[in-house]
Amino acid sequence: MIKFPAQPRLILAALISAAFLSACEQPQSDEKKKEEPNTAFESTYQAHSHHPVLIENATVLTAAGDRIDNGSVLFKDGKIVAVGTDIETPADDNLEVIDAQDKWVTPGLIDVHSHLGVYPSPGVDSAADGNEMTAPVTAEVWAEHSVWPHDPQFELALAGGVTSMQILPGSANLIGGRTVTLKNVPARSVMEMKFPGAPHGLKMACGENPKRVYGNKGRSPMTRMANIAGFRDAWIKAADYKKQWEDYENGEGNGKAPKRDLQMETLAGVLKGEILIHNHCYRADEMALMMEIAEEFDFQISTFHHAVESYKIADKLAENNVCSALWSDWWGFKQEAFDMVPENVALVEKAGACAIVHSDSPTGIQHLNKDAAKSMASGNAMGMNITPEKAIEWITINPAKSMGIGEQTGTLEAGKMADIVLWDGNPFSVYTKAEKVFIDGALMYDRHDEKYQPVSDFQLGQYDFEVKAQEGGAQ
């Protein structure tokens, strides 16, 4: 025990007492703390730094309607500076000039429908965190709270040119929870991948999935009419919850704040236009019914996913400003996916509706450009004359718009994020590979440089371990 002389002990006691009284007499510090914004679950993404880059002599697909032959793209400080044919080379010692003769440049690819991180590899039950199959409505769950950032499938998607993606909960439930939009960068937590400012989406599912999951348990819904009743019941409750909070904020009612309800907060967010609807729905008649529900409760459906029968109601989708996220040729794996045509994407495009090519697959996400190529070929076989400068929109700006990030990324235009892919040929050729991938202007992948071929933490050292095990040297 340390002993102080009497006088210093008195001085020390006086200082402690004064500090205590001072803290008690200054409650404004606590009030100030309470006024600080709550940043829980906000993005902490930080773009990587990189020197300025000028790509020259490329075929450039801007996804803004233009194809530029012998074009150039200049970017620095994370943003696109200029796109065109007459860009003057800046006087900058740090500038890297890439001669892209015979190569193509596009915006970074965007997948509107992915389950990477929530259904990671290895695909084992203990890591399958994408489907909360406990109730028909689980609007309270957020996909980001299941995302494992070390899923090695993220790096494979990056090698395929994917710079951003939306991660969704599964489709077992009528309302399955919130989606999250990610930048495809190595990270320690999902918040370091979360796209800054991107709105949440809400995953909904109609048709066979919810009626199969719950009907097989002898629970509701077990019919399509119960599906619709379940949706309407949830939105009635959400509208009431929203009004309770509006009354409280307007000084009406008893002046007491309503009790927070995580499920209702999400649904009310949709009704306020803050959260976007992403609706798993295959059949045309069910998509039409979902648009009726949207009209009844005054919200907007952003996108129907999978939507193999969109071609039947493409005009209605255009009128209602609803996108369709589609495959090029998946069909027939269940009854509601049977009436598919390979021209689906092209027919939606022809009607003036928003067409998107998506994956819903850890393998398909590596080949979005090839799926778009197949859809383009199917349309052209019908005489539609779809060009590469149109098809690139299906995997860049259209998904960006449907996810609420079209103002930040999705096209090669000055001021936008420098999310860019340099391809070693026409990206709609089966022989073409992504050569370099930039995210916010930083080189994140280079097919010819191992320094820019990221490996997840989960995979580090595994190759050496496997080799030693094969040689009998692993312990």
Side-chain angles (χ1 to χ4, degrees):
M1 180 177 178
I2 300 176
K3 294 185 178 181
F4 294 97
Q7 190 173 354
R9 284 208 305 271
L10 291 173
I11 294 172
L12 181 62
L15 290 172
I16 292 172
S17 177
F20 177 76
L21 289 173
S22 176
C24 292
E25 291 170 356
Q26 297 180 15
Q28 66 269 21
S29 61
D30 291 336
E31 291 175 4
K32 183 179 179 181
K33 184 177 181 181
K34 290 179 182 177
E35 292 172 1
E36 292 176 358
N38 188 333
T39 59
F41 308 118
E42 284 190 5
S43 169
T44 59
Y45 169 78
Q46 294 290 327
H48 292 234
S49 61
H50 200 69
H51 50 254
V53 176
L54 175 63
I55 302 175
E56 296 182 320
N57 304 317
T59 301
V60 180
L61 300 179
T62 65
D66 301 320
R67 168 176 169 161
I68 305 172
D69 294 318
N70 296 315
S72 300
V73 181
L74 173 65
F75 51 98
K76 69 175 183 177
D77 299 327
K79 301 291 185 181
I80 297 171
V81 176
V83 181
T85 56
D86 56 354
I87 297 176
E88 184 175 345
T89 304
D92 189 331
D93 293 339
N94 293 321
L95 179 71
E96 177 186 5
V97 179
I98 299 174
D99 183 3
Q101 186 71 43
D102 300 323
K103 298 176 183 179
W104 293 51
V105 176
T106 71
L109 306 191
I110 300 173
D111 193 356
V112 74
H113 192 120
S114 175
H115 299 293
L116 298 192
V118 299
Y119 281 108
S121 177
V124 294
D125 288 345
S126 61
D129 291 313
N131 245 331
E132 183 60 29
M133 295 185 285
T134 54
V137 176
T138 57
E140 68 274 17
V141 304
W142 297 17
E144 65 201 69
H145 299 155
S146 281
V147 170
W148 184 42
H150 305 304
D151 182 354
Q153 296 170 131
F154 285 120
E155 286 77 35
L156 295 174
L158 182 66
V162 175
T163 55
S164 298
M165 67 192 76
Q166 179 173 229
I167 309 301
L168 304 93
S171 55
N173 300 336
L174 296 175
I175 301 176
R178 296 197 194 194
T179 74
V180 64
T181 297
L182 304 180
K183 285 277 195 173
N184 193 11
V185 295
R188 296 167 299 171
S189 80
V190 68
M191 297 305 152
E192 294 175 357
M193 301 176 74
K194 197 170 178 180
F195 194 112
H200 279 118
L202 177 65
K203 175 67 176 296
M204 295 170 57
C206 53
E208 289 185 22
N209 282 23
K211 67 188 289 281
R212 180 181 66 246
V213 170
Y214 294 98
N216 286 347
K217 298 175 182 178
R219 296 168 55 189
S220 180
M222 64 189 309
T223 62
R224 281 181 165 85
M225 59 185 173
N227 281 355
I228 299 301
F231 286 128
R232 298 179 73 202
D233 181 64
W235 292 117
I236 288 170
K237 293 174 181 175
D240 181 63
Y241 181 80
K242 174 173 172 284
K243 186 177 186 306
Q244 289 178 37
W245 275 98
E246 288 172 346
D247 289 347
Y248 167 71
E249 290 163 359
N250 294 330
E252 301 174 7
N254 60 12
K256 185 177 180 181
K259 184 179 179 180
R260 283 186 68 187
D261 183 316
L262 293 180
Q263 187 176 107
M264 291 298 111
E265 278 187 10
T266 292
L267 298 182
V270 172
L271 298 180
K272 290 187 287 186
E274 299 169 353
I275 297 175
L276 307 178
I277 291 288
H278 291 272
N279 195 165
H280 161 120
C281 211
Y282 286 79
R283 287 184 1 188
D285 60 314
E286 291 189 278
M287 286 185 266
L289 278 173
M290 297 307 295
M291 287 189 284
E292 295 289 342
I293 293 173
E295 182 176 353
E296 179 181 7
F297 294 98
D298 194 26
F299 62 80
Q300 173 69 40
I301 295 173
S302 170
T303 309
F304 285 121
H305 290 239
H306 311 334
V308 299
E309 293 185 15
S310 280
Y311 67 95
K312 297 182 180 181
I313 55 167
D315 57 332
K316 293 184 179 295
L317 297 171
E319 290 170 10
N320 287 277
N321 194 31
V322 180
C323 292
S324 294
L326 311 163
W327 295 298
S328 60
D329 51 11
W330 277 18
W331 72 283
F333 44 89
K334 55 182 174 178
Q335 191 277 332
E336 65 183 0
F338 188 80
D339 207 1
M340 162 73 175
V341 296
E343 299 85 7
N344 196 18
V345 177
L347 288 168
V348 169
E349 175 68 49
K350 184 179 180 181
C354 168
I356 298 168
V357 173
H358 72 335
S359 78
D360 189 28
S361 162
T363 303
I365 195 172
Q366 302 171 42
H367 307 283
L368 282 178
N369 57 315
K370 298 179 181 68
D371 259 352
K374 289 190 286 184
S375 296
M376 179 172 61
S378 296
N380 288 342
M382 292 184 69
M384 293 187 194
N385 191 31
I386 299 170
T387 61
E389 49 265 42
K390 173 55 66 176
I392 194 64
E393 296 177 12
W394 301 339
I395 48 178
T396 54
I397 187 57
N398 286 3
K401 288 177 179 177
S402 102
M403 295 154 60
I405 57 173
E407 295 297 318
Q408 293 80 37
T409 190
T411 61
L412 299 181
E413 295 179 283
K416 284 198 170 183
M417 293 172 168
D419 297 341
I420 297 168
V421 184
L422 173 65
W423 305 87
D424 62 10
N426 184 335
F428 298 109
S429 166
V430 70
Y431 300 106
T432 294
K433 297 180 178 66
E435 188 168 289
K436 296 180 187 291
V437 181
F438 299 87
I439 298 180
D440 284 305
L443 182 63
M444 302 304 295
Y445 174 80
D446 188 327
R447 190 160 63 91
H448 302 299
D449 188 342
E450 288 187 0
K451 290 186 300 183
Y452 295 98
Q453 295 173 10
V455 177
S456 74
D457 282 4
F458 179 75
Q459 286 184 299
L460 285 176
Q462 286 198 24
Y463 175 76
D464 290 339
F465 179 83
E466 290 168 1
V467 169
K468 289 178 181 177
Q470 290 171 2
E471 295 173 349
Q475 300 298 320

